[in-house]
């Protein structure tokens, strides 16, 4: 997608939750200041998210099995590489319709909030099960947000798929909260599955057709 003189790009394709003209101005500015190769569409980004999510959560699971008091901080440091890789691809190679989409904006805000909560939990020495619950809440909200967004675009199969993912995460949140109260840490493989599973299914076309 490219911005034509005197024409604001329809960057949200009926997925907007905020006044389009304001966001379109921002998107147009970023389009010129941060050009993209446009090599990565929705499918590519979903596959990348699946792979990097597996790398991140696998490393976290291994690190958290140690008894080192600094394990939480090490796990956070482990995520720097996959997160940086994702941000680089989004900023440099994702098509504008993807990098300026409402689902991606929502995930950015939610993941930033979850990261802040994780830093707090690690710093104060919260229960081992608190961090998984934080991210399950993040996924539940993120997949709900995505389901609404793609539903507004008329892609009902994908909306149902993400709604089911959101419901699964919400159920896991309830189980996880009980685990925190009882002092039992929720399994990171469960968190990993609920994170990357929906992405992998959507990338494979199980939820329905995508545009790129």
């Amino acid at each position: 997608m490219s911005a034509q003189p005197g024409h604001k790009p329809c960057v949200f394709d009926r997925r907007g939750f905020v006044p389009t003209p304001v966001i379109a101005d921002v998107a147009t500015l970023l389009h010129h200041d941060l050009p993209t190769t446009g090599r990565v569409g929705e499918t590519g980004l979903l596959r990348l998210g699946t792979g990097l999510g597996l790398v991140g959560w696998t490393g976290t699971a291994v690190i958290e099995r140690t008894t080192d008091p600094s394990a939480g901080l090490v796990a956070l440091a482990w995520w720097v590489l996959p997160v940086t890789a994702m941000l680089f691809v989004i900023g440099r190679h994702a098509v504008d319709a993807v990098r300026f989409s409402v689902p991606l904006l929502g995930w950015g805000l939610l993941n930033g909030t979850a990261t802040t909560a994780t830093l707090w939990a690690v710093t104060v020495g919260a229960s081992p099960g608190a961090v998984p619950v934080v991210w399950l809440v993040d996924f539940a909200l993120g997949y709900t947000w995505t389901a609404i967004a793609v539903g507004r675009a008329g892609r009902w199969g994908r909306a149902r798929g993400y709604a089911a993912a959101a419901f699964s995460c919400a159920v896991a949140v309830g189980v996880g909260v009980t685990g925190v109260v009882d002092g039992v840490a929720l399994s990171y493989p469960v968190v990993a599955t609920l994170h990357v599973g929906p992405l992998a299914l959507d990338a494979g076309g199980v939820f329905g057709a995508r545009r790129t």
Side-chain angles (χ1 to χ4, degrees):
M1 179 190 301
S2 61
Q4 300 298 327
H7 175 71
K8 296 176 181 178
C10 182
V11 295
F12 291 127
D13 192 22
R14 306 202 320 274
R15 290 174 287 185
F17 290 91
V18 289
T20 301
V22 175
I23 303 302
D25 286 339
V26 175
T28 302
L29 178 64
L30 290 175
H31 172 82
H32 289 295
D33 293 346
L34 188 63
T36 175
T37 64
R39 296 175 182 172
V40 180
E42 277 188 322
T43 301
L45 203 61
L46 286 167
R47 289 173 177 169
L48 180 64
T50 299
L52 293 179
L54 285 174
V55 169
W57 289 117
T58 299
T60 301
V62 172
I63 293 168
E64 287 296 327
R65 291 181 66 88
T66 70
T67 57
D68 192 317
S70 64
L73 293 175
V74 174
L76 282 171
W78 172 259
W79 275 95
V80 171
L81 180 60
V83 169
T84 300
M86 176 62 81
L87 292 176
F88 174 77
V89 171
I90 291 173
R92 187 68 184 92
H93 298 294
V95 296
D96 284 348
V98 172
R99 66 176 183 162
F100 296 138
S101 66
V102 165
L104 204 59
L105 172 63
W107 278 105
L109 294 172
L110 287 168
N111 288 349
T113 302
T115 299
T116 301
T118 299
L119 284 169
W120 176 84
V122 170
T123 301
V124 302
S127 167
V131 172
V133 170
V134 164
W135 285 97
L136 287 171
V137 171
D138 175 74
F139 302 152
L141 294 175
Y143 287 132
T144 298
W145 176 277
T146 305
I148 295 172
V150 296
R152 288 169 63 92
R155 289 176 279 179
W156 300 112
R158 297 184 69 194
R160 287 191 293 269
Y162 281 115
F167 177 76
S168 298
C169 291
V171 171
V173 168
V175 175
V177 169
T178 302
V180 171
V181 173
D182 293 340
V184 179
L186 196 66
S187 173
Y188 276 101
V190 172
V191 178
T193 300
L194 291 174
H195 179 190
V196 305
L199 301 181
L201 291 173
D202 194 18
V206 175
F207 289 168
R210 293 173 311 281
R211 295 187 174 168
T212 57

